[in-house]
């Protein structure tokens, strides 16, 4: 039943990597308890055949445990022949000044985030309610130290019933509306199938700095999503603040799940390596036909090793006037500084294409600011 449905998915959904690389002989060679673990990893892609990846790990050791299968999936997704550990490098050696691309980019919406997990806890797909609350309490102790640091001072808000930092449903809804806090994940069928939204809202919360440019999500797709966002022109700014924050957290007793050859271990294999997504919001009215069509831009961006999203995140459409979110696709076998430079160069390339693009664009779209 299970293997025959995988075969059906493989035929009907060829882009589903979970199914594409499934090997029945390998699966049958596993002990029953390991087969159960692997089936749980594959559950999201099994229940959602339209998945691109379809796999979420439940424990950091599952990548090595099932490497004969998973490494093929990972190499296919990340377009590498084999997986080698790439050392972290946050040295940018030079200013990534967006106004050198175009003076109008002086106040761009820039964002960079990393996913991080802590090895001594199961990953979100397999956490119990007690695990989730225990992890949140570990983070609350670290947030108390962040609050004392003028570079990161802020506050922690929790969704956990009875937590001393608990906020109301109205306050939560307001933070989601302001695109600061993450949504209830039960609305994401891929994450829900994997159990990543389990025990909602226990163990979920957000640290946010006074200037609201530094945020840590607790209990979303990974244990932590550490992000910096700001409007400005110097791309370096967001990377250096993020690096400082990660160093601060690590020097206060938290070590992140990191192992060869993968790098930082994440729930989803698409984020392995740096687990970094760096993005810029930019208006590309001509390349998106006033925001009506992302497909041409996505095709062009793929050649440049860039990903395109709408302005409201994964699976969203372009904003008015062609506002899109551009990010380098690479996460694995690339360094943080290379991602920053790929973003900078990618924005420059798309901007040049936008300028020479000949499609007719309504004046009002170009006037949108
Ligand atoms: N729909 C899932 C998304 C995978 C990549 N995005 C993440 N991890 N947020 C899929 O497997 O296609």
């Amino acid at each position: 039943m299970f293997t025959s449905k995988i075969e059906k998915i493989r035929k009907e959904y060829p882009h589903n990597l979970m199914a594409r690389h499934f090997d029945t002989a390998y699966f049958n060679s596993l002990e029953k308890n390991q087969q159960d673990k692997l089936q749980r990893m594959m559950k999201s892609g099994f229940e959602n055949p339209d998945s691109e990846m379809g796999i979420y790990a439940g424990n950091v050791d599952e990548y090595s445990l099932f490497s004969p299968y998973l490494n093929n999936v990972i190499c296919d997704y990340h377009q590498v022949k084999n997986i080698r550990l790439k050392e972290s490098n946050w040295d940018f050696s030079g200013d990534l000044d967006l106004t050198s691309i175009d003076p109008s980019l002086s106040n761009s919406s820039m964002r960079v985030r990393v996913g991080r997990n802590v090895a001594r806890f199961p990953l979100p797909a397999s956490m119990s309610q007690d695990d989730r609350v225990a992890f949140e309490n570990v983070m609350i102790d670290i947030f108390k130290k962040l609050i004392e640091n003028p570079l990161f001072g802020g506050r922690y808000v929790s969704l956990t019933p009875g937590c001393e930092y608990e906020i109301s449903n109205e306050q939560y809804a307001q933070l989601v509306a302001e695109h600061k806090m993450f949504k209830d994940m039960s609305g994401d069928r891929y994450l829900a199938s994997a159990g990543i939204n389990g025990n909602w809202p226990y163990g979920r919360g957000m640290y946010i700095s006074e200037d609201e440019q530094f945020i840590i999500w607790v209990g979303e797709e990974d244990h932590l999503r550490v992000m910096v966002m700001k409007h400005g022109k110097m791309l370096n700014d967001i990377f250096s603040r993020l690096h400082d924050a990660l160093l601060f957290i690590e020097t206060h007793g938290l070590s992140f799940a990191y192992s060869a050859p993968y790098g930082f271990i994440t729930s989803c294999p698409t984020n392995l390596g740096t687990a970094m997504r760096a993005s810029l919001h930019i208006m590309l009215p001509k390349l998106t036909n006033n925001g009506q069509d992302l497909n041409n831009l996505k095709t062009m961006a793929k050649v440049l090793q860039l990903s395109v999203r709408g302005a409201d995140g994964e699976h969203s459409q372009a904003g008015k006037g062609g506002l899109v979110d551009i990010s380098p696709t690479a996460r694995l076998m690339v360094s943080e500084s290379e991602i920053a430079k790929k973003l900078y160069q990618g924005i420059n390339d798309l901007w040049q294409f936008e300028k020479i693009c000949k499609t007719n664009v309504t004046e009002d779209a170009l006037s949108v600011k």
Side-chain angles (χ1 to χ4, degrees):
M1 176 59 185
F2 172 71
T3 51
S4 56
K5 181 170 177 190
I6 296 282
E7 281 311 313
K8 187 169 184 299
I9 294 173
R10 191 207 312 266
K11 290 190 180 73
E12 294 175 12
Y13 296 87
H15 63 278
N16 181 315
L17 296 180
M18 172 282 289
R20 181 189 296 176
H21 292 282
F22 181 78
D23 179 303
T24 303
Y26 169 70
F27 180 78
N28 291 337
S29 72
L30 298 172
E31 300 289 327
K32 176 70 171 71
N33 69 323
Q34 289 191 340
Q35 288 183 351
D36 293 346
K37 272 189 185 179
L38 185 53
Q39 278 188 256
R40 194 221 47 75
M41 276 188 98
M42 299 163 61
K43 189 166 177 285
S44 183
F46 188 82
E47 293 179 354
N48 303 280
D50 65 334
S51 294
E52 184 188 358
M53 170 54 74
I55 288 170
Y56 290 98
N59 281 286
V60 296
D61 67 349
E62 288 174 357
Y63 285 104
S64 52
L65 192 59
F66 300 115
S67 58
Y69 163 58
L70 290 178
N71 283 5
N72 293 329
V73 174
I74 293 163
C75 287
D76 190 346
Y77 177 83
H78 291 278
Q79 291 296 287
V80 296
K81 288 199 178 347
N82 50 56
I83 309 168
R84 288 188 324 283
L85 184 64
K86 175 89 174 183
E87 298 296 330
S88 277
N89 179 346
W90 293 78
D91 171 22
F92 302 103
S93 58
D95 286 347
L96 301 175
D97 182 344
L98 295 166
T99 55
S100 59
I101 295 173
D102 190 292
S104 69
L105 298 177
S106 60
N107 190 36
S108 297
S109 172
M110 310 180 289
R111 178 182 184 271
V112 60
R113 68 88 171 141
V114 292
R116 290 291 187 266
N117 292 284
V118 176
R120 69 177 189 271
F121 286 92
L123 291 172
S126 298
M127 290 177 108
S128 67
Q129 183 168 307
D130 289 348
D131 289 329
R132 299 183 198 276
V133 174
F135 177 72
E136 182 183 32
N137 288 333
V138 166
M139 291 313 303
I140 285 173
D141 286 342
I142 289 180
F143 293 147
K144 287 175 181 169
K145 298 182 178 106
L146 272 176
I147 288 169
E148 290 162 8
N149 184 318
L151 282 176
F152 304 105
R155 62 191 168 102
Y156 179 65
V157 293
S158 173
L159 305 185
T160 301
C163 175
E164 64 177 302
Y165 301 95
E166 184 185 5
I167 56 173
S168 68
N169 290 336
E170 294 71 24
Q171 289 169 312
Y172 167 62
Q174 180 60 30
L175 288 168
V176 171
E178 293 168 356
H179 300 293
K180 294 176 185 126
M181 180 62 175
F182 55 95
K183 298 172 191 159
D184 170 353
M185 294 174 279
S186 56
D188 183 321
R189 57 191 163 89
Y190 306 98
L191 296 179
S193 285
I196 287 176
N197 68 317
N199 316 111
W200 181 272
Y202 287 87
R204 274 66 177 211
M206 172 180 73
Y207 180 88
I208 184 166
S209 61
E210 292 295 343
D211 63 9
E212 301 195 338
Q213 294 180 3
F214 167 61
I215 286 176
I216 302 177
W217 287 348
V218 178
E220 200 237 7
E221 182 180 318
D222 290 300
H223 290 152
L224 301 175
R225 288 291 174 93
V226 189
M227 61 196 84
V228 172
M229 59 199 78
K230 73 177 287 188
H231 284 80
K233 65 172 189 172
M234 295 303 286
L235 215 40
N236 313 56
D237 292 353
I238 57 173
F239 287 85
S240 47
R241 189 174 190 192
L242 177 60
H243 190 210
D244 292 344
L246 292 168
L247 291 175
F248 182 92
I249 293 169
E250 286 192 298
T251 52
H252 285 79
L254 206 61
S255 64
F256 299 127
Y258 181 91
S259 60
Y262 306 109
F264 289 103
I265 303 298
T266 52
S267 292
C268 182
T270 62
N271 282 309
L272 286 171
T274 56
M276 175 179 275
R277 185 175 182 277
S279 63
L280 199 76
H281 283 190
I282 188 169
M283 301 286 269
L284 296 172
K286 291 195 273 183
L287 293 179
T288 62
N289 189 19
N290 288 355
Q292 301 303 309
D293 169 30
L294 281 184
N295 292 330
N296 290 337
L297 177 59
K298 283 185 175 180
T299 305
M300 181 186 293
K302 193 164 185 172
V303 173
L304 299 171
Q305 299 175 328
L306 298 169
S307 299
V308 180
R309 290 180 178 182
D312 286 334
E314 197 165 18
H315 313 306
S316 70
Q317 293 309 308
K320 185 171 170 52
L323 183 66
V324 289
D325 173 300
I326 302 294
S327 65
T329 308
R331 305 271 194 282
L332 182 72
M333 291 171 57
V334 66
S335 71
E336 292 78 5
S337 64
E338 287 169 338
I339 289 175
K341 289 169 191 161
K342 273 179 182 277
L343 177 57
Y344 183 83
Q345 188 56 51
I347 292 298
N348 180 63
D349 295 343
L350 289 178
W351 193 258
Q352 303 315 320
F353 285 130
E354 174 71 16
K355 283 199 293 189
I356 63 175
C357 184
K358 294 280 182 255
T359 57
N360 298 325
V361 174
T362 55
E363 282 311 308
D364 70 316
L366 293 176
S367 65
V368 169
K369 285 291 175 218

